[in-house]
Structures are given as structure tokens and as C-alpha cells.
């Protein structure tokens, strides 16, 4: 089993739709979780950190489910500009360097007009 | 703020040639990283430097060397390029072990 798994998609949704992505992780000791966004042929950029209590930033909501070992990203009222690949990132240890950061392969989202 | 700056943006090498990818950050971050990204593989860590003066291997270090020249700069060297090293290379930095990464724009390397 991969350490971090994402559905690669593609997810094609109409503008205004709500879409959700899940990301599962294998190491139950994982401590830090992030969602990154990567546009075609560009560098990944931090979208959100994921906290145990869940967090929301405008149209974006991130949740952590430790019991089932997954994190989720919900995008409401999708915009054309949300089209990108969304990367799930997990740090499986509680201390030490970020060499343990593990990236998922990404979920591709296309928002259609 | 420039953030993380990588050079060059594009490079074509012949098998066996060498080159150095440069990376500099102006955010006073302690940790710096080199990743490669290949289709369907996600980002894989090549080397990292937790702080100035230290470097360690990541997931895929073979064929690469690194130098943490000072706190700002972290370079990646390919001594004898191979076609398997054709990839997009990203440099990144972070303030601490559990802080988010900030990435450079990437270097697209093709080895023929």
C-alpha cells in the first residue's frame, strides 16, 4: 500500500459545483497534513494546512479523520480558476526533519464553464 | 520578495554531461530540499538540508550530490547525467520540520 494515496481523477465538474477529494495515508502516527495546489507546469503552492479540528478558508474546507486515516478537501461554488492538480501531503512523524514529508500523486480537477 | 529562486529554468544535456542546479531562498529558512517530479510518480525527495552545514539523502539520491553553501543557497549536482534523470526538479525551503514548503519555479531537465 502506498504511504499516501489519492484518486488521480480527472474530476470534471461544472462551474458552481461542489467537489470533494479524499486522501488516505498508511502511517497512523502521521502528524502534519497539508493540501497543495499545482497548476500545469508550475510549482506546487500551499493551499491549506489541515488541523485536527478541521479548518475552512473561504470556499475551501479541509478535514482530518484520524480513525479512518484520511484527509479531505471540499471546494464549494467551483470557479474556472480552481482547475488544477491538488496534492495531499503527509508528515508521518512527530519530530525531526521534513524529509518524511510524503506527497500524493495528485488529483486533477477541471472546472467546466 | 523573491522567495525561492531556481536556475536554470530549462536545460538539455547529453548523457554523461554534468551540471549544477542552483537554488536560493531569501526567507531565512533553516531547511532546504530538492525534489524531482515525474508523471504519475508524485514529488520524490532527492536530498535535503535540515540546517546550514548538514545534508542528508532522501528517497532517490543516487546520481546526485548537493552542497549547502550557506543558509540561503542549496545546489544540486548531476555528475554524469543519464536519461533516467529527465524530470522536473523543484527546490523548496521551510522554516521548520513541520512547516509548509515553499517551492521554486522548477527546472525542466532533459537528458538525451
Amino acid at each position: 500500500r502506498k504511504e499516501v494515496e489519492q484518486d488521480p481523477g480527472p474530476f470534471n465538474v461544472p462551474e458552481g459545483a461542489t467537489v470533494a477529494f479524499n486522501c488516505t495515508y498508511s502511517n497512523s502516527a502521521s502528524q502534519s497534513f497539508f493540501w497543495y495546489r499545482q497548476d500545469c507546469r508550475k510549482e506546487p503552492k500551499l493551499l491549506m494546512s489541515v488541523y485536527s479540528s478541521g479548518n475552512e478558508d473561504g470556499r475551501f474546507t479541509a478535514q482530518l479523520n484520524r480513525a479512518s486515516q484520511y484527509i479531505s478537501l471540499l471546494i464549494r461554488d467551483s470557479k474556472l480558476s480552481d482547475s488544477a492538480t491538488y496534492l495531499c501531503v503527509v508528515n508521518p512523524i512527530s519530530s525531526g526533519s521534513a524529509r518524511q514529508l510524503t506527497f500524493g500523486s495528485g488529483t486533477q480537477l477541471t472546472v467546466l464553464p | 520578495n523573491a522567495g525561492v529562486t531556481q536556475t536554470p529554468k530549462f536545460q538539455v544535456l547529453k548523457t554523461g554531461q554534468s551540471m549544477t542546479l542552483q537554488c536560493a531562498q531569501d526567507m531565512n529558512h533553516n531547511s532546504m530540499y530538492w525534489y524531482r517530479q515525474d508523471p504519475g510518480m508524485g514529488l520524490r525527495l532527492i536530498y535535503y538540508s535540515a540546517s546550514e552545514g548538514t545534508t542528508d539523502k532522501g528517497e532517490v539520491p543516487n546520481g546526485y550530490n548537493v552542497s549547502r553553501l550557506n543558509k540561503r543557497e542549496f545546489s544540486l549536482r548531476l555528475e554524469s547525467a543519464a536519461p533516467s534523470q529527465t524530470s522536473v526538479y523543484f527546490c523548496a525551503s521551510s522554516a521548520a520540520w513541520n512547516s509548509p514548503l515553499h517551492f521554486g519555479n522548477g527546472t525542466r531537465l532533459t537528458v538525451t
Side-chain angles (χ1 to χ4, degrees), chain B residues 71-104:
Chain B
K71 191 171 186 178
R72 289 188 65 248
E73 299 173 286
F74 188 39
S75 63
L76 178 72
R77 183 160 178 83
L78 286 71
E79 291 290 352
S80 179
S84 61
Q85 294 178 305
T86 293
S87 188
V88 180
Y89 292 84
F90 288 104
C91 177
S93 69
S94 68
W97 68 271
N98 58 350
S99 301
L101 299 180
H102 297 259
F103 286 88

Side-chain angles (χ1 to χ4, degrees), chain A residues 46-112:
Chain A
L46 178 69
L47 180 65
M48 303 177 75
S49 300
V50 185
Y51 305 120
S52 296
S53 55
N55 48 305
E56 187 174 313
D57 183 3
R59 298 182 292 108
F60 298 85
T61 301
Q63 297 278 355
L64 168 63
N65 186 317
R66 285 194 182 275
S68 300
Q69 294 182 208
Y70 73 87
I71 64 172
S72 63
L73 178 67
L74 180 77
I75 305 175
R76 290 181 298 277
D77 189 22
S78 301
K79 311 291 185 191
L80 297 176
S81 57
D82 293 335
S83 297
T85 297
Y86 291 84
L87 304 172
C88 164
V89 183
V90 176
N91 188 351
I93 63 172
S94 59
S95 64
S97 76
R99 77 179 297 272
Q100 302 294 336
L101 276 178
T102 302
F103 284 77
S105 297
T107 297
Q108 185 180 344
L109 171 67
T110 301
V111 180
L112 304 169

Side-chain angles (χ1 to χ4, degrees), chain A residues 2 31-32 34 36 38 41-46 49 87 91 93-101 103-105, chain B residues 10 33 35 37 40-43 45 48 50 57-59 90 94 96-105 108:
Chain A
K2 287 185 181 178
Q31 295 292 325
S32 305
F34 307 95
Y36 279 74
Q38 186 172 26
R41 301 180 69 80
K42 297 286 185 74
E43 75 275 20
K45 292 186 178 178
L46 178 69
S49 300
L87 304 172
N91 188 351
I93 63 172
S94 59
S95 64
S97 76
R99 77 179 297 272
Q100 302 294 336
L101 276 178
F103 284 77
S105 297
Chain B
F10 301 94
Y33 314 85
Y35 287 88
Q37 186 173 35
M41 301 289 289
L43 281 150
L45 184 65
Y48 74 104
K57 295 178 180 179
E59 182 184 353
F90 288 104
S94 68
W97 68 271
N98 58 350
S99 301
L101 299 180
H102 297 259
F103 286 88
N105 291 339
R108 281 163 180 75

Side-chain angles (χ1 to χ4, degrees), chain B residues 8-23:
Chain B
K9 291 190 175 180
F10 301 94
Q11 184 71 50
V12 178
L13 292 176
K14 294 185 187 305
T15 297
Q17 288 185 315
S18 62
M19 77 161 296
T20 299
L21 281 66
Q22 307 286 352
C23 176

Side-chain angles (χ1 to χ4, degrees), chain B residues 14-68:
Chain B
K14 294 185 187 305
T15 297
Q17 288 185 315
S18 62
M19 77 161 296
T20 299
L21 281 66
Q22 307 286 352
C23 176
Q25 52 92 10
D26 62 3
M27 296 174 283
N28 201 36
H29 284 170
N30 289 315
S31 302
M32 297 185 74
Y33 314 85
W34 276 105
Y35 287 88
R36 61 178 288 173
Q37 186 173 35
D38 303 290
M41 301 289 289
L43 281 150
R44 293 182 293 169
L45 184 65
I46 305 171
Y47 270 94
Y48 74 104
S49 171
S51 60
E52 185 179 356
T54 69
T55 61
D56 283 285
K57 295 178 180 179
E59 182 184 353
V60 288
N62 291 344
Y64 305 94
N65 284 303
V66 291
S67 295
R68 184 74 183 266

